[in-house]
Amino acid sequence: MIFAEKIPPLMSSENIDSDPVKKQFYYSILEEQEDPNFCLDPLQEENFKITENMLHKYHGRALLLTTPNCAMNCRFCFRRHMEIPDKKDFTEEISYISHNTVIKEIILSGGDPLMMNREKLYALIRKFDAIPHLKVIRIHTRAPMGIKNIIDDKLMQILSSISKQVIFVLHINHAEELSCHAIENIEKLKANNILLFSQSVLLKDVNDDIATLQTLFEKLIELHIIPYYLHQLDKISGASHFYVKKEKGIKLYEELRAKISGYCLPRYVEEKPHEKSKTPIYNPKAL
Ligand SMILES: *Cc1c(COP(=O)(O)O)cnc(C)c1O
Ligand code: SF4
């Protein structure tokens, strides 16, 4: 399947080969490399689908695939081969959550929830707000790094008018993604007392060195974003040239641990198909 190039306005440039930020978004011929260890559905998420738009894999939280749209198409995207229906509303998913009281948290993912039609997003948030056993609405987004003013006053007004706790998990892989406009978006979230976490993917020739990771995590803390996850790349077809071996990942992680404050260090994890949570990647010496 074709995964079109989609370059975020805040990160477009001519200088693609040498730039670790741009490299994430521009097509490369290396995507055509066949690797038997990489496949279309490494996470086997099909098994956890409640509907085509909802995954319930982990205890207490369900994940809604809100839209097929993203502000950008990361070439290593773990959902690049997935077809996410662009639904008008989410009646079935809302009903599933309403009837399932173990679910305390709804994660709006995608695609990127901030790229949904805004009225549709607001209606969805209000519907989740009306479910008593739901405590947290979590938004997984990368759009604030790609689009100026994507966090606007109306969105903030909706989020501060609801009774649930709102958490944002921002996908950021490199400190240079944090342009002044990206920081403006983040400052708005911060000003509204929204709890902010980050997730990053460990990517070859993008952020797989100590200085880049150290700068990224320290910069996140400076912006009041808690580094949450450093993901091992999912083995998705077309992304093998971004893969960093676990041995190298562990080495980087242990070197970082010796260099930066504990709170700057995210959890280094991988997603395994049938596990009940993300799986921490440990230094074998710890065993
Ligand atoms: C990562 C993920 C979550 C959220 O997991 P946390 O560890 O709570 O961040 C939920 N559902 C699915 C399917 C996931 O992949
Ligand atoms: S922002 Fe996330 S969902 Fe969208 S293309 Fe990038 S990795 Fe995929």
Side-chain angles (χ1 to χ4, degrees):
M1 192 205 299
I2 297 161
F3 186 60
E5 256 186 3
K6 189 170 177 190
I7 318 291
L10 294 180
M11 298 192 238
S12 62
S13 155
E14 299 304 309
N15 179 23
I16 44 175
D17 290 332
S18 56
D19 189 316
V21 173
K22 323 299 181 218
K23 207 175 264 180
Q24 299 175 74
F25 310 109
Y26 287 87
Y27 169 82
S28 156
I29 189 75
L30 296 172
E31 292 179 28
E32 310 306 328
Q33 277 175 348
E34 298 277 345
D35 185 319
N37 296 315
F38 286 65
C39 63
L40 295 179
D41 180 22
L43 307 182
Q44 296 166 35
E45 287 181 323
E46 289 295 327
N47 299 325
F48 302 99
K49 275 191 176 166
I50 305 304
T51 71
E52 283 303 298
N53 290 79
M54 182 172 274
L55 294 166
H56 188 192
K57 182 174 175 185
Y58 297 160
H59 187 80
R61 54 246 200 249
L63 186 146
L64 188 70
L65 303 166
T66 51
T67 165
N69 300 328
C70 267
M72 55 204 84
N73 281 347
C74 310
R75 305 310 301 171
F76 48 85
C77 178
F78 62 122
R79 300 211 173 105
R80 65 177 280 174
H81 304 292
M82 197 191 260
E83 291 196 47
I84 301 171
D86 201 0
K87 277 205 189 135
K88 266 235 290 294
D89 53 43
F90 294 95
T91 317
E92 213 182 324
E93 291 79 5
I94 290 164
S95 163
Y96 176 80
I97 293 184
S98 304
H99 292 99
N100 201 331
T101 53
V102 303
I103 298 175
K104 301 276 184 281
E105 177 171 19
I106 179 72
I107 301 169
L108 306 187
S109 178
D112 198 308
L114 298 186
M115 299 306 284
M116 276 173 86
N117 171 289
R118 280 296 164 94
E119 291 311 316
K120 204 161 111 180
L121 175 65
Y122 301 152
L124 186 62
I125 289 171
R126 288 198 187 95
K127 285 196 177 134
F128 285 131
D129 192 36
I131 301 175
H133 57 268
L134 212 54
K135 303 290 177 223
V136 178
I137 298 179
R138 186 196 318 185
I139 297 184
H140 280 189
T141 178
R142 185 147 171 61
M145 269 48 68
I147 297 184
K148 196 174 159 179
N149 293 330
I150 190 95
I151 307 294
D152 56 22
D153 292 342
K154 176 77 182 170
L155 176 67
M156 287 302 98
Q157 186 199 324
I158 300 289
L159 291 179
S160 50
S161 72
I162 63 173
S163 62
K164 310 299 180 195
Q165 180 169 26
V166 179
I167 294 178
F168 270 63
V169 179
L170 302 163
H171 176 177
I172 310 173
N173 298 329
H174 197 289
E176 280 175 30
E177 293 174 19
L178 294 159
S179 63
C180 61
H181 297 300
I183 291 175
E184 245 170 63
N185 285 326
I186 291 164
E187 293 289 345
K188 272 202 203 129
L189 294 169
K190 208 173 93 186
N192 283 275
N193 286 325
I194 291 171
L195 198 50
L196 299 175
F197 295 99
S198 70
Q199 52 182 341
S200 312
V201 185
L202 185 60
L203 297 166
K204 187 166 184 294
D205 298 333
V206 173
N207 59 12
D208 63 335
D209 65 90
I210 295 289
T212 302
L213 292 172
Q214 176 171 3
T215 307
L216 171 63
F217 299 143
E218 288 178 348
K219 181 78 190 170
L220 291 171
I221 287 291
E222 200 183 303
L223 293 169
H224 292 208
I225 303 168
I226 299 168
Y228 180 37
Y229 280 137
L230 174 64
H231 295 278
Q232 183 71 0
L233 183 75
D234 298 316
K235 291 187 170 173
I236 191 97
S237 295
S240 62
H241 55 297
F242 284 111
Y243 193 75
V244 179
K245 289 207 177 85
K246 269 191 224 172
E247 293 77 5
K248 176 163 184 191
I250 290 169
K251 197 163 166 282
L252 284 171
Y253 193 74
E254 291 308 317
E255 272 179 54
L256 269 177
R257 192 200 296 284
K259 267 193 130 161
I260 61 179
S261 302
Y263 54 72
C264 290
L265 204 64
R267 301 155 174 85
Y268 179 33
V269 294
E270 65 185 315
E271 184 79 27
K272 289 194 174 178
H274 297 280
E275 295 296 327
K276 294 280 173 209
S277 71
K278 312 231 181 277
T279 304
I281 301 176
Y282 285 119
N283 183 347
K285 276 192 282 186
L287 294 174

